[in-house]
Amino acid sequence: MPEITTDLIVVGAGLAGAMTTLSLARHLGPDYRITQILNTDPVEDIFYGSVTAPSAYDFLRSIGLDEPYLFQSSTTSFSYGTLYQKWLDRPAWMQSHEQPFPIIDDVPLQHHLARSRQPLQPVLMAAQAAWNGRFAHPPQEPSSALSRAEYGYQFSPAEWCALIDDVLAELPVQRLFAGITEITRSDTSISHIHLSTGECLTANLVIDCSGPHRTCITAFGAAFQTERTLAAWTDIRPAPELGPPHRTLVSTQDGWSATTHLQSGGYVLNIADTEAPATPPSCAKIALGQLDLAWVGNCVAIGQAACVLEPLSPAPMMLLLRDIERLLELIPTANTAEMERREFNRRFQADSTHTSLFNRLFHLDRNMPQTAYWRAAAKAADSDLLNRKRALFQHRGVVIKYDLEPFNTEDWTILFHGLGYAPEDYDLQIENVPQAQSERHVAGLQSAIASTVSRMPPHPVYVRKMKTYFEKHTYA
Amino acid sequence: MSKISKICILGGGTAGWMSAAALSSKYSALGYEIDLVESDQIGTVGVGEATLPHIRYFNRALGINEADFMQATEATFKLGIAFKDWGRIGDTYIHPFGDYGMPMEGLDFHQIWLKLRQMGLKTRLDDYAYPIIAAEQNRFKMPGEELNEIGSNFGYAYQFDSHLYAKFLRVYCEARGVQRTEGRVVDVTLDSLSGDVASITLENGHTIDADLFIDCSGFRGVLIEQALKTGYEDWSQWLPCNRAVAVPCEARGPLVPYTTASARKAGWQWRIPLQHRTGNGYVYWNEFISDAEATDQLMRSLEGPALADPKQLYFTTGKRRKLWHKNVVCIGLSGGFLEPLESTSIHLIQEGITALIEHFPVSHIDALDADEYNRRMDLNFERVRDFLLLHYVATQRDDSEMWRYFSAMQLPDSLRDKMDAWSRRGYVLEYEIGVFLPPSWIAVMLGQNLMPVGYDPRVNRYPPDKLFQFAEKIQTASAKAASETPTHIDFLTQYGAASKTAPLTAAPMHSQ
């Protein structure tokens, strides 16, 4: 056996702790010793939301959680996105996951639509399938309309956490179910972690996944900037059959409510202001915001310990996966990790800022109720980066990009349209294509999508058949 | 404000004609009146003769036939740039347009190689890069459809005669209604209210007004600087070379598919192989070498007789404070100058045109468009600057004043962080906006002997045997693909891109 050179301690149970520990176990070799301390009761995990973006597919596969396993061992289902059925005064729109928009006659699709003032939703493959409650895996051939659809998952955080715990039980990871009684530190590092069992641990790197408790990272004086505080509670609504491949969300007087369609039925997440009349006393509470530095000394914060975003979009899960990927890419090999720390913090700042921009757009400029939730959200929404993005879209329908943003041009375009932003002008490149020709192309695209949708199976049928297929083939 | 209807492009070099071609093609249905003003008395610099792969998309968008274009511009294919004497005197490496090896389960190939090297592997990382092997063997072919396959995992660009390219584009533009006016600007009139450029007056008294001006007037920046006083960010503290001398010569030896950049004591020298001649130039810092000495060194190093008198250029590296100011957008050397060490001159023209089209004034000139254009172009320029500076500072050379200046330099944080991360564990700081992707950074850092002490520890999860086998498979496949590739000249001929005229000679034979 190769020598163990680096000791890693993951602090915290829950989704972040489980996913981080499993990722480390899968990606690192026997030169790393991994210990997880399950010291927290992760009630705040519901704030991760219940949908992922398409980026989850590769991530989950890379840690051994492929679809046969996910669908057979949990009530996970597919997600083409979120239906904002009623967001304030806006008509419903499907915030779907799409491949890059096609370029027709050398001009991007959105300019064709803008000139003719045609709606976006009918030319979105994933959105149309979702509206119709149908699902199929995208094929390899790029010529098929279906290949333009992207998908993520609808899931229950508690279920995924339990599922990963089962996997971890089989892996060479030390797991300690104990509380932390004391953390001793020097100026630059955590030297010892004392457990309620009397054990005392040392590590090269401590990975704080303790959610809003921030058990270790705050020991170094990392400051968490609180933006506002939210309450959340969930309802389970068992259903005889799986619902559509999308989450459904409506805004309320004091926040919003989203129904995720799992194999076991509806999973309802309610978000509201902590003081709102409907907020039950037993709710979970969390402060949105982020750390100034996510890696201090020999301690790095992952997930909610580093940044808490509202699960209004897949943003919290996108950021969690990015946190873990960033950690894997920069996992230190020895005690000194100056370069890793600097780079991790640089990327953390960029990722958390960029991810939060998307959520902020929901809370700008609309006719919002004068309640605590909406007032606080609107106040937090102001951002120069977002204002620039919004101004350019309103001006001419373009989505400007910052470096390596997690939400892509398609996500933004759909959201701007959904929220009712209408560009003042359209791009003049389109004038090279005669309008009739352009409208023919768009009509052709719409009908190809409609015809594809009509041939797709309903989501529950697809999942049932897929599972039967998995069962017949030995995936266990 | 009224709609844009008249566009005036000042200057007819590569920047001017590329801008005119793109705008006349992109907006052909809009009936813009596009005037291009140039003067035959003012020479164009035409330093940029080597390009980056993106130029292919530019030409393709114009509907230009590749073989026709290559024939018309005496172009050759380019797989990368060979750098000589940069890390140490005697070193050579090629910066290819393409990846090293292939990733294994998401791990970059160079990480695997770094580990194997620590275990005693003796190969170069270059041995896993098809475009490098093909370039070294003087071979070329088009990449195939499957860009992930060895032998297709590369991009290519061209080396061409930029005067001929401008000429080629002029024909293209004039067929699309671009009006060329011969003349020198003697006066510029500003709108008293807005401060915009209202019109330019030529020496014959002719006045041209326009809604939008594109300043392609070269270093002088006739509109952006002389008229609008936009200001210039001087970057010579980082890139101090400030002069160049250029001369074409008769071509000798086989036609290679790459540009060469050789480091010198007070600068560096380029060699660009074209079909009809070889382009040469010496970029230097006049602090450490006189113009006469630089010219002498250049002339003595030529592979064949010179085809013209050496041409002297003066410049200050840096960029205009605003590349779009009021109703003037500057494209090309009027916007900034970064030495052509990595063939970015024409590329930055292209970036400027692409960004202009994305933010082209719709109904009027809007500050939002200008601000975004400037933000994006500033990033492009800064990131090219860092990449160029890397060549001077990732080096063991200390054999002259210039190299000692660089070794004592305080680097921009962005570059220092990038070099630190690489040296520690072969990690490349990534960005999205900017031309040079991680493989380019790897090529230069490794090529100049910046060998990481560590590697990505995720490699350790695989048994070494598996890594060795994986690497060997790629090495064999790359060598095989290269050996099956035709020679550059054969491919060029068979592709229909070979010049129809004989190469230039210094002393043409008298007709009988």
Side-chain angles (χ1 to χ4, degrees):
Chain A
M1 284 288 282
E3 203 184 323
I4 290 170
T5 57
T6 314
D7 255 308
L8 304 174
I9 296 182
V10 178
V11 175
L15 191 62
M19 286 185 103
T20 304
T21 308
L22 180 57
S23 300
L24 295 170
R26 294 283 194 211
H27 285 275
L28 299 176
D31 44 343
Y32 283 80
R33 180 163 53 206
I34 302 160
T35 304
Q36 186 187 7
I37 304 173
L38 296 100
N39 65 322
T40 51
D41 175 14
V43 287
E44 294 88 359
D45 271 4
I46 58 175
F47 287 99
Y48 281 112
S50 48
V51 282
T52 74
S55 55
Y57 176 83
D58 283 336
F59 182 92
L60 293 171
R61 267 173 61 106
S62 80
I63 57 173
L65 302 179
D66 55 8
E67 289 185 351
Y69 187 72
L70 275 184
F71 279 77
Q72 287 177 306
S73 313
S74 74
T75 64
T76 303
S77 69
F78 293 108
S79 169
Y80 276 133
T82 294
L83 171 64
Y84 292 87
Q85 195 167 41
K86 183 182 90 65
W87 182 256
L88 299 167
D89 55 353
R90 294 300 310 152
W93 84 93
M94 188 70 70
Q95 184 66 42
S96 54
H97 307 303
E98 308 285 343
Q99 280 274 307
F101 293 143
I103 291 173
I104 303 167
D105 287 341
D106 288 337
V107 184
L109 170 68
Q110 53 273 41
H111 301 324
H112 291 262
L113 300 174
R115 175 175 58 179
S116 305
R117 303 202 164 275
Q118 286 172 295
L120 180 63
Q121 292 271 316
V123 292
L124 302 178
M125 181 66 234
Q128 287 306 308
W131 279 109
N132 287 280
R134 293 163 189 255
F135 184 85
H137 275 102
Q140 293 293 327
E141 314 88 74
S143 57
S144 150
L146 187 53
S147 70
R148 278 205 281 280
E150 292 267 17
Y151 70 89
Y153 301 107
Q154 301 186 77
F155 75 104
S156 141
E159 221 181 51
W160 274 17
C161 185
L163 183 135
I164 296 172
D165 279 342
D166 287 348
V167 178
L168 282 171
E170 307 293 318
L171 296 177
V173 173
Q174 189 184 17
R175 308 185 79 215
L176 304 172
F177 295 83
I180 294 178
T181 53
E182 197 191 338
I183 295 168
T184 43
R185 48 162 287 206
S186 67
D187 284 349
T188 52
S189 64
I190 291 176
S191 53
H192 297 91
I193 296 178
H194 303 271
L195 300 184
S196 54
T197 52
E199 280 173 280
C200 175
L201 307 177
T202 59
N204 299 92
L205 185 71
V206 176
I207 301 158
D208 190 340
C209 298
S210 63
H213 305 283
R214 302 185 182 92
T215 313
C216 300
I217 191 79
T218 44
F220 269 115
F224 186 82
Q225 313 281 343
T226 299
E227 208 168 69
R228 56 199 167 99
T229 304
L230 290 181
W233 65 99
T234 55
D235 299 319
I236 304 294
R237 299 202 183 130
E241 192 172 56
L242 172 60
H246 64 77
R247 182 173 69 147
T248 306
L249 192 148
V250 294
S251 64
T252 64
Q253 192 67 12
D254 293 299
W256 50 268
S257 173
T259 304
T260 303
H261 306 285
L262 302 175
Q263 292 180 51
S264 53
Y267 168 84
V268 183
L269 173 66
N270 303 288
I271 294 283
D273 175 62
T274 50
E275 304 299 323
T279 305
S282 60
C283 66
K285 291 179 186 170
I286 204 163
L288 305 185
Q290 69 177 80
L291 289 174
D292 51 354
L293 296 171
W295 186 330
V296 189
N298 68 337
C299 182
V300 57
I302 296 289
Q304 288 171 348
C307 178
V308 183
L309 298 174
E310 190 172 351
L312 184 52
S313 69
M317 284 303 288
M318 285 166 108
L319 193 56
L320 171 62
L321 302 195
R322 282 211 172 192
D323 280 353
I324 298 173
E325 281 167 347
R326 195 186 315 121
L327 174 66
L328 292 171
E329 286 173 38
L330 290 162
I331 200 84
T333 48
N335 278 321
T336 56
E338 182 52 38
M339 167 258 136
E340 285 84 352
R341 189 161 50 228
R342 194 168 56 222
E343 172 64 357
F344 188 95
N345 284 326
R346 184 189 71 84
R347 282 176 57 181
F348 165 72
Q349 280 294 342
D351 284 344
S352 53
T353 304
H354 291 155
T355 314
S356 72
L357 289 184
F358 195 76
N359 279 359
R360 291 182 202 280
L361 189 62
F362 284 86
H363 295 125
L364 272 178
D365 261 8
R366 309 236 55 92
N367 293 323
M368 297 190 287
Q370 283 303 308
T371 56
Y373 169 86
W374 294 98
R375 276 202 307 267
K379 196 169 155 234
D382 188 46
S383 139
D384 288 347
L385 292 178
L386 181 58
N387 290 340
R388 181 185 282 272
K389 241 189 210 293
R390 192 172 57 136
L392 262 301
F393 187 85
Q394 282 178 308
H395 166 45
R396 59 187 303 148
V398 297
V399 175
I400 60 161
K401 277 202 215 178
Y402 303 120
D403 268 326
L404 306 167
E405 285 184 76
F407 288 97
N408 60 27
T409 302
E410 287 64 39
D411 297 328
W412 280 101
T413 307
I414 296 168
L415 182 59
F416 278 124
H417 278 268
L419 289 171
Y421 289 92
E424 288 152 19
D425 279 312
Y426 60 85
D427 197 293
L428 295 174
Q429 294 175 53
I430 190 63
E431 299 294 8
N432 261 12
V433 186
Q435 189 155 347
Q437 183 177 324
S438 159
E439 285 170 7
R440 266 201 312 280
H441 282 310
V442 172
L445 189 59
Q446 275 187 29
S447 75
I449 288 173
S451 130
T452 305
V453 170
S454 71
R455 283 177 281 119
M456 291 167 74
H459 184 215
V461 173
Y462 188 84
V463 170
R464 196 165 58 237
K465 287 190 172 168
M466 181 183 79
K467 287 175 72 174
T468 311
Y469 176 86
F470 289 156
E471 276 156 25
K472 280 189 195 153
H473 298 72
T474 46
Y475 281 103
Chain B
M1 219 182 266
S2 61
K3 259 192 173 315
I4 300 284
S5 64
K6 289 182 79 175
I7 302 164
C8 175
I9 299 169
L10 178 60
T14 321
W17 286 111
M18 280 178 78
S19 302
L23 296 182
S24 64
S25 150
K26 226 26 186 180
Y27 300 116
S28 58
L30 285 166
Y32 287 143
E33 196 180 319
I34 304 177
D35 274 302
L36 186 145
V37 178
E38 67 174 336
S39 166
D40 286 337
Q41 304 159 42
I42 307 173
T44 58
V45 171
V47 162
E49 299 192 308
T51 58
L52 296 179
H54 311 68
I55 190 79
R56 284 154 49 209
Y57 307 107
F58 183 83
N59 283 350
R60 196 178 300 161
L62 297 182
I64 289 173
N65 175 284
E66 189 176 41
D68 293 350
F69 141 78
M70 291 187 72
Q71 199 169 61
T73 60
E74 301 281 350
T76 55
F77 288 106
K78 176 180 174 192
L79 286 169
I81 304 176
F83 287 91
K84 289 189 173 164
D85 303 327
W86 282 86
R88 283 182 297 247
I89 293 174
D91 285 357
T92 298
Y93 69 92
I94 291 180
H95 165 198
F97 299 135
D99 290 345
Y100 291 95
M102 306 199 139
M104 184 168 103
E105 296 177 18
L107 277 175
D108 288 336
F109 183 80
H110 72 271
Q111 297 288 0
I112 295 166
W113 177 81
L114 285 173
K115 164 154 180 152
L116 294 177
R117 197 176 164 278
Q118 290 195 1
M119 297 181 69
L121 185 77
K122 294 281 182 248
T123 53
R124 309 173 301 164
L125 186 59
D126 298 7
D127 296 332
Y128 307 89
Y130 164 81
I132 295 183
I133 307 169
E136 286 171 341
Q137 298 178 5
N138 204 6
R139 298 173 188 268
F140 184 82
K141 71 173 173 72
M142 294 284 169
E145 294 279 311
E146 272 304 321
L147 295 179
N148 290 326
E149 246 165 51
I150 298 282
S152 289
N153 54 344
F154 70 101
Y156 70 92
Y158 317 103
Q159 290 128 160
F160 57 59
D161 183 324
S162 57
H163 296 287
L164 294 177
Y165 186 50
K167 222 165 113 183
F168 180 81
L169 291 179
R170 177 177 165 183
V171 174
Y172 178 96
C173 291
E174 287 180 333
R176 282 161 183 78
V178 174
Q179 181 70 40
R180 178 190 181 274
T181 306
E182 163 70 36
R184 288 174 80 110
V185 175
V186 292
D187 193 26
V188 178
T189 310
L190 302 186
D191 183 282
S192 57
L193 221 56
S194 63
D196 282 0
V197 171
S199 64
I200 54 174
T201 306
L202 308 184
E203 56 192 347
N204 63 4
H206 183 56
T207 296
I208 296 173
D209 59 76
D211 305 301
L212 177 71
F213 286 86
I214 300 177
D215 188 344
C216 302
S217 63
F219 293 132
R220 295 172 305 144
V222 171
L223 303 178
I224 197 78
E225 196 55 54
Q226 292 179 0
L228 294 183
K229 316 252 181 285
T230 305
Y232 193 74
E233 272 178 46
D234 183 337
W235 286 349
S236 47
Q237 67 178 111
W238 289 306
L239 296 171
C241 284
N242 56 1
R243 297 194 180 185
V245 56
V247 69
C249 74
E250 282 184 24
R252 290 286 184 274
L255 193 65
V256 299
Y258 54 85
T259 297
T260 305
S262 308
R264 298 277 183 257
K265 281 187 188 308
W268 61 276
Q269 187 175 330
W270 78 74
R271 175 188 187 274
I272 299 178
L274 307 181
Q275 293 191 48
H276 62 327
R277 61 170 171 78
T278 297
N280 309 275
Y282 187 1
V283 174
Y284 58 95
W285 187 0
N286 76 331
E287 184 93 1
F288 300 126
I289 190 170
S290 69
D291 296 343
E293 175 63 14
T295 305
D296 184 55
Q297 279 188 22
L298 176 68
M299 299 307 280
R300 276 190 287 118
S301 72
L302 297 182
E303 65 200 40
L307 293 166
D309 289 334
K311 188 160 130 188
Q312 183 79 51
L313 300 162
Y314 305 88
F315 52 81
T316 306
T317 53
K319 60 165 265 296
R320 205 64 62 192
R321 284 195 197 285
K322 289 180 178 177
L323 285 118
W324 181 339
H325 186 35
K326 298 194 182 283
N327 67 335
V328 175
V329 180
C330 50
I331 290 180
L333 300 175
S334 57
F337 182 84
L338 294 169
E339 54 198 80
L341 183 55
E342 282 281 1
S343 314
T344 49
S345 305
I346 290 177
H347 180 74
L348 285 169
I349 293 173
Q350 190 183 340
E351 289 277 1
I353 294 170
T354 307
L356 175 60
I357 285 172
E358 278 172 36
H359 291 280
F360 199 78
V362 186
S363 53
H364 60 277
I365 290 170
D366 197 305
L368 280 172
D369 287 316
D371 287 351
E372 177 56 18
Y373 180 91
N374 289 333
R375 183 186 74 91
R376 188 163 139 185
M377 291 306 292
D378 285 356
L379 272 179
N380 269 306
F381 268 86
E382 280 164 26
R383 287 171 172 174
V384 169
R385 175 201 71 196
D386 279 5
F387 188 58
L388 298 185
L389 179 52
L390 173 70
H391 297 68
Y392 288 102
V393 295
T395 175
Q396 299 75 58
R397 285 191 69 163
D398 61 357
D399 54 289
S400 70
E401 286 297 323
M402 183 189 81
W403 295 107
R404 286 191 286 274
Y405 171 88
F406 282 109
S407 70
M409 175 185 281
Q410 165 102 25
L411 300 184
D413 290 351
S414 45
L415 179 58
R416 186 209 56 207
D417 290 350
K418 208 146 178 160
M419 290 171 69
D420 279 358
W422 169 260
S423 303
R424 183 164 160 85
R425 54 191 291 150
Y427 173 96
V428 185
L429 267 75
E430 261 191 271
Y431 46 65
E432 187 174 351
I433 301 164
V435 56
F436 293 106
L437 300 177
S440 295
W441 286 83
I442 295 173
V444 177
M445 292 191 284
L446 211 51
Q448 299 191 187
N449 313 310
L450 216 60
M451 185 61 71
V453 288
Y455 54 84
D456 187 329
R458 289 178 294 175
V459 174
N460 287 339
R461 74 190 231 231
Y462 301 101
D465 285 359
K466 185 176 170 181
L467 300 176
F468 273 113
Q469 282 161 16
F470 182 74
E472 199 176 347
K473 216 174 93 191
I474 292 177
Q475 188 188 358
T476 311
S478 304
K480 182 166 180 283
S483 72
E484 290 164 357
T485 300
T487 65
H488 182 204
I489 189 72
D490 283 352
F491 185 84
L492 202 76
T493 310
Q494 163 233 311
Y495 193 60
S499 171
K500 286 194 171 134
T501 53
L504 300 176
T505 50
M509 279 185 296
H510 296 287
S511 48
Q512 299 290 309

